[in-house]
Amino acid sequence: YCSNLEKVFINRPAIDASFFSPNKQPSGFNGVSVLSIGRFTFQKGYLIGILAIKKLIDKGFSIQWNIIGDGSQMEEMIFHIHELKLQNHIVLHGKKNKNEVSDWINKSDIFLLTSVYEGIPNVVLEAMAMELPVVTTKSGGVDEVIEHGVDGFIAPLYDIETVSNLLEKFIQDKQLALTMGKAARQKILAEYKTSKSAIGFVIGANYVAVANYDDKSVDILDRDLKPLEKIQTGSKNVGIKTYENYLIFSQMENDTISVFKDMNEGKNK
Protein backbone atom coordinates (compact mmCIF):
# COMPACT_ATOMS: atom_id res chain seq x y z
CA TYR A 1 0.00 0.00 0.00
CA CYS A 2 1.03 3.62 -0.45
CA SER A 3 3.51 4.76 2.22
CA ASN A 4 3.80 8.31 0.86
CA LEU A 5 0.84 10.26 2.22
CA GLU A 6 1.44 13.04 -0.32
CA LYS A 7 0.08 10.64 -2.95
CA VAL A 8 -3.14 10.03 -1.03
CA PHE A 9 -6.22 12.11 -1.78
CA ILE A 10 -9.84 11.86 -0.66
CA ASN A 11 -12.31 11.88 -3.53
CA ARG A 12 -15.46 12.84 -1.64
CA PRO A 13 -18.97 12.18 -2.93
CA ALA A 14 -20.50 15.27 -4.45
CA ILE A 15 -23.80 16.55 -5.77
CA ASP A 16 -24.89 19.17 -8.27
CA ALA A 17 -25.51 22.15 -5.98
CA SER A 18 -26.84 24.21 -8.88
CA PHE A 19 -29.68 21.69 -9.34
CA PHE A 20 -30.18 21.04 -5.63
CA SER A 21 -30.57 24.69 -4.67
CA PRO A 22 -33.11 26.18 -2.26
CA ASN A 23 -36.42 27.41 -3.64
CA LYS A 24 -38.72 27.11 -0.64
CA GLN A 25 -42.35 26.21 -1.40
CA PRO A 26 -45.35 25.81 0.92
CA SER A 27 -45.95 22.23 2.00
CA GLY A 28 -49.73 22.50 1.97
CA PHE A 29 -49.74 20.99 5.47
CA ASN A 30 -50.70 23.05 8.50
CA GLY A 31 -47.91 21.81 10.72
CA VAL A 32 -44.33 20.56 10.45
CA SER A 33 -43.43 18.58 7.34
CA VAL A 34 -40.63 16.04 7.88
CA LEU A 35 -39.08 14.25 4.88
CA SER A 36 -37.14 10.99 4.45
CA ILE A 37 -35.97 9.31 1.25
CA GLY A 38 -34.77 5.73 0.87
CA ARG A 39 -35.63 2.09 0.35
CA PHE A 40 -37.83 0.25 2.84
CA THR A 41 -35.13 -2.03 4.22
CA PHE A 42 -33.58 -2.71 7.63
CA GLN A 43 -30.60 -0.52 6.68
CA LYS A 44 -32.73 2.63 6.64
CA GLY A 45 -33.95 2.17 10.23
CA TYR A 46 -37.46 3.44 9.57
CA LEU A 47 -38.88 1.84 12.72
CA ILE A 48 -36.61 4.18 14.71
CA GLY A 49 -38.21 7.08 12.89
CA ILE A 50 -41.74 5.77 13.40
CA LEU A 51 -41.21 5.51 17.16
CA ALA A 52 -39.55 8.95 17.31
CA ILE A 53 -42.44 10.54 15.41
CA LYS A 54 -44.88 8.75 17.74
CA LYS A 55 -43.25 10.44 20.73
CA LEU A 56 -43.71 13.86 19.13
CA ILE A 57 -47.34 13.16 18.19
CA ASP A 58 -48.02 12.08 21.77
CA LYS A 59 -46.65 15.46 22.91
CA GLY A 60 -49.23 17.19 20.74
CA PHE A 61 -47.09 18.36 17.82
CA SER A 62 -48.73 18.58 14.39
CA ILE A 63 -46.38 16.57 12.16
CA GLN A 64 -46.57 14.90 8.78
CA TRP A 65 -43.69 12.55 7.96
CA ASN A 66 -43.43 12.05 4.20
CA ILE A 67 -41.36 9.08 3.05
CA ILE A 68 -40.24 8.64 -0.57
CA GLY A 69 -39.22 5.12 -1.60
CA ASP A 70 -40.33 1.53 -1.64
CA GLY A 71 -38.84 -1.87 -0.93
CA SER A 72 -39.17 -5.27 0.66
CA GLN A 73 -40.38 -3.96 4.04
CA MET A 74 -43.29 -1.93 2.68
CA GLU A 75 -45.93 -4.17 4.29
CA GLU A 76 -44.09 -4.15 7.61
CA MET A 77 -43.97 -0.34 7.49
CA ILE A 78 -47.70 -0.15 6.86
CA PHE A 79 -48.35 -2.57 9.73
CA HIS A 80 -46.38 -0.48 12.25
CA ILE A 81 -47.96 2.77 11.05
CA HIS A 82 -51.47 1.39 11.54
CA GLU A 83 -50.65 -0.45 14.76
CA LEU A 84 -49.45 2.83 16.29
CA LYS A 85 -52.38 4.76 14.74
CA LEU A 86 -50.08 7.04 12.77
CA GLN A 87 -51.76 6.72 9.38
CA ASN A 88 -52.77 10.41 9.54
CA HIS A 89 -49.19 11.45 10.29
CA ILE A 90 -46.95 9.20 8.16
CA VAL A 91 -47.45 9.12 4.39
CA LEU A 92 -45.65 6.71 2.02
CA HIS A 93 -45.28 8.25 -1.43
CA GLY A 94 -43.47 5.51 -3.37
CA LYS A 95 -40.69 6.19 -5.86
CA LYS A 96 -40.08 9.68 -7.21
CA ASN A 97 -37.78 11.01 -9.92
CA LYS A 98 -35.00 13.55 -9.41
CA ASN A 99 -37.19 16.58 -10.12
CA GLU A 100 -39.93 15.32 -7.81
CA VAL A 101 -37.38 14.71 -5.04
CA SER A 102 -36.16 18.28 -5.43
CA ASP A 103 -39.73 19.56 -5.15
CA TRP A 104 -40.33 17.52 -1.98
CA ILE A 105 -37.15 18.83 -0.36
CA ASN A 106 -38.18 22.40 -1.15
CA LYS A 107 -41.58 22.02 0.50
CA SER A 108 -40.35 20.24 3.64
CA ASP A 109 -39.26 21.68 6.99
CA ILE A 110 -36.85 19.00 8.30
CA PHE A 111 -34.96 16.10 6.74
CA LEU A 112 -34.70 12.89 8.78
CA LEU A 113 -32.26 10.01 8.19
CA THR A 114 -32.56 7.06 10.59
CA SER A 115 -30.17 4.60 8.93
CA VAL A 116 -28.23 2.02 10.90
CA TYR A 117 -25.43 1.90 8.32
CA GLU A 118 -24.46 4.06 5.34
CA GLY A 119 -21.50 5.38 3.45
CA ILE A 120 -21.92 9.11 3.02
CA PRO A 121 -25.57 9.30 1.93
CA ASN A 122 -26.13 11.50 -1.11
CA VAL A 123 -29.66 12.26 0.05
CA VAL A 124 -28.24 14.08 3.09
CA LEU A 125 -25.94 16.11 0.82
CA GLU A 126 -28.91 17.01 -1.37
CA ALA A 127 -31.04 18.10 1.59
CA MET A 128 -28.17 20.17 3.00
CA ALA A 129 -27.58 21.80 -0.39
CA MET A 130 -31.22 22.92 -0.36
CA GLU A 131 -30.92 24.41 3.15
CA LEU A 132 -33.16 21.76 4.69
CA PRO A 133 -32.06 21.19 8.32
CA VAL A 134 -31.01 17.57 8.89
CA VAL A 135 -31.45 15.20 11.82
CA THR A 136 -29.54 11.97 11.24
CA THR A 137 -28.29 8.95 13.11
CA LYS A 138 -24.51 8.47 13.39
CA SER A 139 -24.34 6.00 10.53
CA GLY A 140 -21.39 5.58 8.22
CA GLY A 141 -19.63 8.81 7.36
CA VAL A 142 -22.35 11.34 8.20
CA ASP A 143 -20.17 12.86 10.91
CA GLU A 144 -17.60 13.64 8.20
CA VAL A 145 -20.23 15.85 6.58
CA ILE A 146 -22.25 17.24 9.49
CA GLU A 147 -20.77 19.08 12.44
CA HIS A 148 -23.27 18.37 15.20
CA GLY A 149 -25.02 21.51 16.37
CA VAL A 150 -23.51 23.65 13.61
CA ASP A 151 -24.94 22.47 10.28
CA GLY A 152 -27.17 19.62 11.45
CA PHE A 153 -27.89 17.24 14.30
CA ILE A 154 -26.52 13.71 14.80
CA ALA A 155 -28.10 11.15 17.15
CA PRO A 156 -26.51 7.87 18.32
CA LEU A 157 -27.61 4.73 16.47
CA TYR A 158 -30.96 3.27 17.60
CA ASP A 159 -31.46 6.18 20.02
CA ILE A 160 -35.16 6.92 19.54
CA GLU A 161 -35.30 9.39 22.41
CA THR A 162 -32.47 11.54 21.04
CA VAL A 163 -33.84 11.47 17.48
CA SER A 164 -37.18 12.68 18.84
CA ASN A 165 -35.55 15.38 20.98
CA LEU A 166 -33.45 16.70 18.09
CA LEU A 167 -36.47 16.88 15.81
CA GLU A 168 -38.24 18.78 18.58
CA LYS A 169 -35.40 21.33 18.73
CA PHE A 170 -36.00 22.25 15.08
CA ILE A 171 -39.79 22.24 15.55
CA GLN A 172 -39.59 24.57 18.54
CA ASP A 173 -36.90 26.90 17.16
CA LYS A 174 -37.52 27.90 13.54
CA GLN A 175 -34.61 30.36 13.59
CA LEU A 176 -32.25 27.54 14.60
CA ALA A 177 -33.57 25.43 11.74
CA LEU A 178 -33.06 28.32 9.30
CA THR A 179 -29.54 29.07 10.54
CA MET A 180 -28.41 25.45 10.40
CA GLY A 181 -29.97 24.99 6.97
CA LYS A 182 -28.00 27.92 5.59
CA ALA A 183 -24.79 26.66 7.25
CA ALA A 184 -25.42 23.24 5.70
CA ARG A 185 -25.56 24.65 2.17
CA GLN A 186 -22.31 26.53 2.76
CA LYS A 187 -20.69 23.24 3.82
CA ILE A 188 -21.84 21.59 0.57
CA LEU A 189 -20.64 24.50 -1.58
CA ALA A 190 -17.25 24.41 0.14
CA GLU A 191 -16.60 20.67 0.13
CA TYR A 192 -19.23 18.52 -1.59
CA LYS A 193 -20.33 20.11 -4.84
CA THR A 194 -19.48 18.41 -8.12
CA SER A 195 -17.08 21.13 -9.25
CA LYS A 196 -14.83 20.18 -6.32
CA SER A 197 -14.60 16.51 -7.24
CA ALA A 198 -12.96 14.08 -9.59
CA ILE A 199 -15.82 12.13 -11.14
CA GLY A 200 -13.77 9.11 -12.14
CA PHE A 201 -10.27 7.75 -12.62
CA VAL A 202 -8.45 4.81 -14.14
CA ILE A 203 -4.94 3.47 -13.67
CA GLY A 204 -2.98 2.49 -16.76
CA ALA A 205 0.35 0.69 -17.03
CA ASN A 206 2.40 3.88 -16.59
CA TYR A 207 -0.15 6.60 -15.96
CA VAL A 208 -3.24 7.64 -14.04
CA ALA A 209 -6.14 9.42 -15.78
CA VAL A 210 -8.54 11.54 -13.68
CA ALA A 211 -11.77 13.00 -15.09
CA ASN A 212 -12.66 16.44 -13.71
CA TYR A 213 -16.21 17.79 -13.59
CA ASP A 214 -15.70 21.54 -13.34
CA ASP A 215 -13.27 22.31 -16.15
CA LYS A 216 -14.44 19.52 -18.51
CA SER A 217 -11.07 17.81 -18.69
CA VAL A 218 -9.08 14.65 -18.02
CA ASP A 219 -5.72 14.99 -16.25
CA ILE A 220 -2.99 12.52 -17.20
CA LEU A 221 -0.51 11.87 -14.38
CA ASP A 222 2.46 9.58 -14.06
CA ARG A 223 2.38 6.81 -11.44
CA ASP A 224 3.94 9.24 -8.93
CA LEU A 225 0.94 11.53 -9.59
CA LYS A 226 3.02 14.19 -11.33
CA PRO A 227 1.00 16.01 -14.03
CA LEU A 228 1.82 15.08 -17.61
CA GLU A 229 -1.01 16.51 -19.64
CA LYS A 230 -4.55 17.91 -19.49
CA ILE A 231 -7.02 16.77 -22.18
CA GLN A 232 -10.08 18.97 -22.73
CA THR A 233 -13.22 16.85 -23.18
CA GLY A 234 -15.94 19.48 -23.63
CA SER A 235 -18.13 17.59 -21.18
CA LYS A 236 -18.61 17.76 -17.41
CA ASN A 237 -19.89 14.18 -17.27
CA VAL A 238 -17.25 11.79 -18.56
CA GLY A 239 -17.12 8.01 -18.34
CA ILE A 240 -13.53 6.76 -18.35
CA LYS A 241 -11.93 3.31 -18.70
CA THR A 242 -8.92 1.46 -20.12
CA TYR A 243 -8.86 -1.48 -22.53
CA GLU A 244 -5.50 -3.12 -23.24
CA ASN A 245 -3.31 -0.17 -24.26
CA TYR A 246 -6.25 2.15 -25.00
CA LEU A 247 -7.68 4.94 -22.86
CA ILE A 248 -11.35 5.55 -23.62
CA PHE A 249 -13.74 8.21 -22.43
CA SER A 250 -17.34 8.87 -23.32
CA GLN A 251 -18.34 12.53 -23.28
CA MET A 252 -22.01 12.47 -22.30
CA GLU A 253 -22.83 16.12 -22.96
CA ASN A 254 -21.69 16.07 -26.58
CA ASP A 255 -22.43 12.38 -27.29
CA THR A 256 -18.91 11.49 -28.42
CA ILE A 257 -16.30 8.89 -27.54
CA SER A 258 -12.55 9.58 -27.57
CA VAL A 259 -9.99 6.78 -27.82
CA PHE A 260 -6.31 7.28 -27.11
CA LYS A 261 -3.62 4.66 -27.80
CA ASP A 262 -0.32 4.16 -25.99
CA MET A 263 -0.73 6.95 -23.46
CA ASN A 264 2.63 6.13 -21.89
CA GLU A 265 4.43 6.44 -25.24
CA GLY A 266 2.79 9.60 -26.51
CA LYS A 267 -0.89 9.44 -27.23
CA ASN A 268 -2.46 8.85 -30.62
CA LYS A 269 -6.13 9.78 -30.89
Coordinates of all heavy atoms in Angstrom, one line a residue, residues 131-193:
E131 N -30.7 23.7 1.9 CA -30.9 24.4 3.1 C -32.0 23.8 4.0 O -32.6 24.5 4.8 CB -31.2 25.9 2.9 CG -30.1 26.6 2.2 CD -30.3 28.1 2.1 OE1 -31.4 28.6 2.5 OE2 -29.4 28.8 1.6
L132 N -32.2 22.5 3.8 CA -33.2 21.8 4.7 C -32.4 21.2 5.9 O -31.5 20.4 5.8 CB -33.8 20.6 3.9 CG -35.0 19.9 4.6 CD1 -36.1 20.9 4.9 CD2 -35.4 18.7 3.7
P133 N -32.8 21.7 7.1 CA -32.1 21.2 8.3 C -32.2 19.7 8.5 O -33.3 19.1 8.3 CB -32.7 22.0 9.5 CG -34.1 22.3 8.9 CD -33.9 22.6 7.5
V134 N -31.1 19.0 8.9 CA -31.0 17.6 8.9 C -30.9 17.1 10.3 O -30.0 17.6 11.1 CB -29.8 17.1 8.0 CG1 -29.6 15.6 8.2 CG2 -30.0 17.5 6.6
V135 N -31.7 16.0 10.6 CA -31.5 15.2 11.8 C -31.1 13.8 11.3 O -31.9 13.2 10.5 CB -32.7 15.1 12.7 CG1 -32.5 14.1 13.8 CG2 -33.0 16.5 13.3
T136 N -30.0 13.3 11.7 CA -29.5 12.0 11.2 C -29.0 11.1 12.4 O -28.5 11.7 13.4 CB -28.5 12.1 10.1 OG1 -28.0 10.8 9.7 CG2 -27.3 12.9 10.6
T137 N -29.0 9.8 12.2 CA -28.3 8.9 13.1 C -26.8 8.9 12.7 O -26.5 9.3 11.6 CB -28.9 7.5 13.0 OG1 -29.0 7.2 11.7 CG2 -30.2 7.5 13.7
K138 N -26.0 8.5 13.6 CA -24.5 8.5 13.4 C -24.2 7.2 12.6 O -23.5 6.3 13.2 CB -23.8 8.5 14.7 CG -22.3 8.8 14.6 CD -21.6 8.9 15.9 CE -20.1 9.2 15.8 NZ -19.4 8.2 15.1
S139 N -24.6 7.2 11.4 CA -24.3 6.0 10.5 C -23.3 6.3 9.5 O -23.3 7.4 8.9 CB -25.7 5.6 9.9 OG -26.2 6.6 9.2
G140 N -22.4 5.4 9.3 CA -21.4 5.6 8.2 C -20.6 6.8 8.4 O -20.1 7.1 9.5
G141 N -20.5 7.6 7.3 CA -19.6 8.8 7.4 C -20.4 10.1 7.5 O -19.9 11.2 7.2
V142 N -21.6 10.1 8.1 CA -22.3 11.3 8.2 C -21.6 12.4 9.1 O -21.8 13.6 8.9 CB -23.8 11.1 8.7 CG1 -24.6 10.4 7.7 CG2 -23.8 10.4 10.1
D143 N -20.9 11.9 10.1 CA -20.2 12.9 10.9 C -18.9 13.5 10.2 O -18.3 14.4 10.8 CB -19.8 12.3 12.3 CG -18.9 11.0 12.2 OD1 -18.8 10.5 11.0 OD2 -18.4 10.5 13.2
E144 N -18.6 13.0 9.0 CA -17.6 13.6 8.2 C -18.2 14.8 7.5 O -17.5 15.8 7.2 CB -17.0 12.7 7.1 CG -16.2 11.5 7.7 CD -15.7 10.6 6.6 OE1 -15.4 11.2 5.5 OE2 -15.7 9.4 6.8
V145 N -19.5 14.8 7.3 CA -20.2 15.9 6.6 C -20.8 16.9 7.5 O -20.7 18.1 7.4 CB -21.4 15.2 5.7 CG1 -22.1 16.3 4.9 CG2 -20.8 14.2 4.8
I146 N -21.5 16.4 8.6 CA -22.3 17.2 9.5 C -21.4 17.5 10.8 O -21.0 16.5 11.4 CB -23.6 16.6 9.8 CG1 -24.5 16.6 8.6 CG2 -24.3 17.4 11.0 CD1 -25.9 15.9 8.8
E147 N -21.3 18.7 11.1 CA -20.8 19.1 12.4 C -22.0 19.3 13.4 O -22.7 20.2 13.2 CB -19.9 20.3 12.4 CG -19.3 20.7 13.7 CD -18.4 21.9 13.6 OE1 -18.2 22.4 12.5 OE2 -18.0 22.4 14.7
H148 N -22.1 18.4 14.3 CA -23.3 18.4 15.2 C -23.5 19.7 15.9 O -22.6 20.3 16.5 CB -23.1 17.3 16.3 CG -24.3 17.2 17.2 ND1 -25.5 16.8 16.9 CD2 -24.3 17.5 18.5 CE1 -26.3 16.8 17.9 NE2 -25.6 17.3 18.9
G149 N -24.7 20.2 15.7 CA -25.0 21.5 16.4 C -24.6 22.7 15.6 O -24.9 23.9 16.0
V150 N -23.9 22.5 14.4 CA -23.5 23.7 13.6 C -24.3 23.7 12.3 O -24.9 24.7 11.9 CB -22.0 23.6 13.4 CG1 -21.6 24.7 12.4 CG2 -21.2 23.7 14.7
D151 N -24.2 22.5 11.6 CA -24.9 22.5 10.3 C -25.8 21.2 10.2 O -26.2 20.7 9.1 CB -24.0 22.5 9.1 CG -22.7 21.6 9.3 OD1 -22.9 20.6 9.9 OD2 -21.6 22.0 8.9
G152 N -26.2 20.8 11.4 CA -27.2 19.6 11.4 C -27.1 19.0 12.8 O -26.2 19.4 13.6
F153 N -27.9 18.0 13.0 CA -27.9 17.2 14.3 C -27.6 15.8 14.0 O -28.2 15.2 13.1 CB -29.2 17.4 15.0 CG -29.4 18.7 15.7 CD1 -30.7 19.3 15.6 CD2 -28.4 19.2 16.5 CE1 -30.9 20.5 16.3 CE2 -28.6 20.4 17.2 CZ -29.9 21.1 17.1
I154 N -26.8 15.1 14.9 CA -26.5 13.7 14.8 C -26.9 13.0 16.1 O -26.5 13.4 17.2 CB -25.0 13.5 14.5 CG1 -24.6 14.2 13.2 CG2 -24.7 12.0 14.4 CD1 -23.1 14.1 12.9
A155 N -27.7 12.0 16.0 CA -28.1 11.2 17.2 C -27.4 9.8 17.1 O -27.0 9.3 16.1 CB -29.6 10.9 17.1
P156 N -27.1 9.2 18.3 CA -26.5 7.9 18.3 C -27.4 6.9 17.6 O -28.6 7.1 17.5 CB -26.4 7.6 19.8 CG -26.4 8.9 20.5 CD -27.3 9.8 19.7
L157 N -26.8 5.8 17.1 CA -27.6 4.7 16.5 C -28.7 4.2 17.4 O -28.4 4.0 18.6 CB -26.7 3.6 16.0 CG -25.8 3.9 14.8 CD1 -24.9 2.7 14.5 CD2 -26.6 4.3 13.6
Y158 N -29.8 3.9 16.9 CA -31.0 3.3 17.6 C -31.5 4.1 18.8 O -32.3 3.6 19.5 CB -30.6 1.9 18.1 CG -30.1 0.9 17.1 CD1 -28.7 0.6 17.0 CD2 -31.0 0.3 16.2 CE1 -28.3 -0.3 16.0 CE2 -30.6 -0.6 15.2 CZ -29.2 -0.9 15.1 OH -28.8 -1.8 14.2
D159 N -31.1 5.4 18.9 CA -31.5 6.2 20.0 C -32.7 7.0 19.7 O -32.7 8.1 19.2 CB -30.3 7.1 20.4 CG -30.5 7.8 21.8 OD1 -31.7 7.9 22.2 OD2 -29.6 8.2 22.4
I160 N -33.9 6.3 19.9 CA -35.2 6.9 19.5 C -35.4 8.2 20.3 O -35.9 9.2 19.7 CB -36.3 5.9 19.8 CG1 -36.1 4.7 18.9 CG2 -37.7 6.5 19.6 CD1 -36.9 3.5 19.4
E161 N -35.1 8.2 21.6 CA -35.3 9.4 22.4 C -34.5 10.6 21.9 O -35.1 11.7 21.8 CB -34.9 9.1 23.8 CG -35.2 10.2 24.8 CD -36.7 10.2 25.2 OE1 -37.4 9.2 25.1 OE2 -37.2 11.3 25.5
T162 N -33.3 10.4 21.5 CA -32.5 11.5 21.0 C -32.9 12.0 19.7 O -33.0 13.2 19.4 CB -31.0 11.2 21.0 OG1 -30.5 10.8 22.3 CG2 -30.1 12.3 20.5
V163 N -33.3 11.1 18.8 CA -33.8 11.5 17.5 C -35.1 12.3 17.7 O -35.2 13.4 17.1 CB -34.2 10.2 16.6 CG1 -35.0 10.6 15.4 CG2 -32.9 9.5 16.2
S164 N -36.0 11.9 18.6 CA -37.2 12.7 18.8 C -36.8 14.1 19.4 O -37.4 15.1 19.0 CB -38.1 11.9 19.8 OG -39.3 12.6 20.1
N165 N -35.9 14.1 20.3 CA -35.6 15.4 21.0 C -34.9 16.4 20.0 O -35.1 17.6 20.0 CB -34.6 15.1 22.1 CG -35.3 14.5 23.3 OD1 -36.5 14.5 23.4 ND2 -34.5 13.9 24.2
L166 N -34.1 15.8 19.1 CA -33.5 16.7 18.1 C -34.5 17.2 17.1 O -34.4 18.4 16.7 CB -32.3 16.0 17.4 CG -31.1 15.6 18.3 CD1 -30.1 14.8 17.5 CD2 -30.5 16.8 18.9
L167 N -35.4 16.4 16.7 CA -36.5 16.9 15.8 C -37.2 18.0 16.5 O -37.6 19.0 15.9 CB -37.4 15.7 15.4 CG -36.9 14.7 14.4 CD1 -37.9 13.5 14.4 CD2 -36.8 15.3 13.0
E168 N -37.5 17.8 17.8 CA -38.2 18.8 18.6 C -37.5 20.1 18.6 O -38.1 21.2 18.6 CB -38.5 18.3 20.0 CG -39.4 19.2 20.8 CD -39.8 18.6 22.1 OE1 -39.6 17.4 22.3 OE2 -40.3 19.3 23.0
K169 N -36.2 20.1 18.7 CA -35.4 21.3 18.7 C -35.7 22.2 17.5 O -35.9 23.4 17.6 CB -33.9 21.0 18.8 CG -33.4 20.6 20.2 CD -31.9 20.4 20.1 CE -31.3 20.0 21.5 NZ -31.2 21.1 22.4
F170 N -35.7 21.5 16.3 CA -36.0 22.2 15.1 C -37.5 22.7 15.0 O -37.8 23.8 14.6 CB -35.7 21.4 13.9 CG -34.3 21.3 13.5 CD1 -33.7 20.1 13.0 CD2 -33.4 22.4 13.6 CE1 -32.4 20.1 12.6 CE2 -32.1 22.3 13.3 CZ -31.6 21.2 12.8
I171 N -38.4 21.9 15.5 CA -39.8 22.2 15.5 C -40.0 23.5 16.4 O -40.8 24.4 16.0 CB -40.6 21.0 16.0 CG1 -40.6 19.9 15.0 CG2 -42.1 21.5 16.2 CD1 -41.2 18.6 15.5
Q172 N -39.4 23.5 17.6 CA -39.6 24.6 18.5 C -38.8 25.9 18.2 O -39.2 26.9 18.6 CB -39.2 24.1 19.9 CG -39.9 22.9 20.5 CD -41.2 23.4 21.2 OE1 -42.0 24.2 20.6 NE2 -41.5 22.8 22.3
D173 N -37.8 25.7 17.4 CA -36.9 26.9 17.2 C -36.7 27.0 15.7 O -35.7 26.5 15.1 CB -35.6 26.7 17.9 CG -34.7 28.0 17.9 OD1 -35.0 28.9 17.0 OD2 -33.8 28.1 18.7
K174 N -37.6 27.8 15.0 CA -37.5 27.9 13.5 C -36.3 28.7 13.1 O -35.7 28.4 12.0 CB -38.8 28.6 13.0 CG -40.0 27.7 13.1 CD -41.2 28.3 12.5 CE -42.4 27.3 12.4 NZ -42.7 26.6 13.7
Q175 N -35.8 29.6 13.9 CA -34.6 30.4 13.6 C -33.4 29.4 13.6 O -32.5 29.6 12.8 CB -34.4 31.5 14.6 CG -33.2 32.4 14.2 CD -33.3 33.0 12.8 OE1 -34.4 33.6 12.4 NE2 -32.3 32.9 12.0
L176 N -33.3 28.5 14.6 CA -32.3 27.5 14.6 C -32.3 26.7 13.3 O -31.2 26.4 12.7 CB -32.4 26.7 15.8 CG -31.4 25.5 16.0 CD1 -30.0 26.1 16.2 CD2 -31.8 24.6 17.1
A177 N -33.4 26.2 13.0 CA -33.6 25.4 11.7 C -33.1 26.2 10.5 O -32.4 25.7 9.7 CB -35.0 25.0 11.6
L178 N -33.5 27.5 10.4 CA -33.1 28.3 9.3 C -31.6 28.5 9.3 O -30.9 28.4 8.2 CB -33.8 29.7 9.4 CG -33.5 30.7 8.3 CD1 -34.0 30.2 7.0 CD2 -34.1 32.0 8.6
T179 N -31.0 28.8 10.4 CA -29.5 29.1 10.5 C -28.7 27.8 10.2 O -27.8 27.9 9.4 CB -29.2 29.5 12.0 OG1 -29.9 30.7 12.3 CG2 -27.7 29.8 12.1
M180 N -29.1 26.7 10.7 CA -28.4 25.4 10.4 C -28.6 25.1 8.9 O -27.7 24.5 8.3 CB -28.9 24.3 11.3 CG -28.3 24.4 12.7 SD -28.3 22.8 13.5 CE -27.8 23.2 15.1
G181 N -29.8 25.3 8.4 CA -30.0 25.0 7.0 C -29.0 25.8 6.1 O -28.5 25.3 5.1
K182 N -28.9 27.1 6.4 CA -28.0 27.9 5.6 C -26.5 27.5 5.8 O -25.7 27.5 4.8 CB -28.2 29.4 6.0 CG -29.5 30.0 5.5 CD -29.6 31.4 5.8 CE -30.9 32.0 5.2 NZ -31.1 31.8 3.8
A183 N -26.2 27.1 7.0 CA -24.8 26.7 7.2 C -24.5 25.4 6.5 O -23.4 25.1 6.0 CB -24.6 26.5 8.7
A184 N -25.6 24.5 6.4 CA -25.4 23.2 5.7 C -25.1 23.5 4.2 O -24.3 22.8 3.6 CB -26.7 22.4 5.9
R185 N -25.8 24.4 3.6 CA -25.6 24.7 2.2 C -24.1 25.2 2.0 O -23.5 24.8 1.0 CB -26.6 25.6 1.6 CG -26.3 26.0 0.1 CD -27.4 26.6 -0.6 NE -27.0 27.0 -2.0 CZ -27.0 26.2 -3.0 NH1 -27.3 24.9 -2.9 NH2 -26.6 26.6 -4.2
Q186 N -23.7 26.0 2.9 CA -22.3 26.5 2.8 C -21.3 25.4 2.9 O -20.3 25.4 2.2 CB -22.0 27.6 3.8 CG -22.8 28.9 3.6 CD -22.7 29.4 2.2 OE1 -21.6 29.7 1.7 NE2 -23.8 29.7 1.6
K187 N -21.6 24.4 3.7 CA -20.7 23.2 3.8 C -20.6 22.5 2.5 O -19.6 22.1 2.0 CB -21.2 22.3 4.9 CG -20.5 21.0 5.0 CD -19.1 21.0 5.6 CE -19.0 21.4 7.0 NZ -19.6 20.4 7.9
I188 N -21.8 22.3 1.9 CA -21.8 21.6 0.6 C -21.1 22.4 -0.5 O -20.3 21.8 -1.3 CB -23.3 21.4 0.1 CG1 -24.0 20.5 1.1 CG2 -23.3 20.7 -1.3 CD1 -23.4 19.1 1.4
L189 N -21.3 23.7 -0.6 CA -20.6 24.5 -1.6 C -19.1 24.5 -1.4 O -18.4 24.5 -2.4 CB -21.2 25.9 -1.5 CG -22.6 26.1 -1.9 CD1 -23.0 27.6 -1.8 CD2 -22.9 25.7 -3.3
A190 N -18.7 24.4 -0.1 CA -17.3 24.4 0.1 C -16.6 23.1 -0.1 O -15.4 23.0 -0.6 CB -17.0 24.8 1.6
E191 N -17.3 22.0 0.1 CA -16.6 20.7 0.1 C -17.3 19.6 -0.7 O -16.6 18.6 -1.0 CB -16.5 20.2 1.6 CG -15.7 21.1 2.5 CD -15.5 20.6 3.9 OE1 -15.5 19.4 4.1 OE2 -15.4 21.4 4.8
Y192 N -18.5 19.7 -1.0 CA -19.2 18.5 -1.6 C -20.0 18.8 -2.9 O -20.8 18.0 -3.3 CB -20.2 18.0 -0.6 CG -19.5 17.4 0.6 CD1 -19.3 18.1 1.8 CD2 -19.0 16.0 0.6 CE1 -18.6 17.6 2.9 CE2 -18.4 15.5 1.7 CZ -18.2 16.3 2.8 OH -17.5 15.7 3.9
K193 N -19.7 19.9 -3.6 CA -20.3 20.1 -4.8 C -19.5 19.5 -5.9 O -18.3 19.3 -5.8 CB -20.6 21.6 -5.1 CG -19.3 22.4 -5.3 CD -19.7 23.9 -5.6 CE -18.4 24.7 -5.9 NZ -18.7 26.1 -6.3

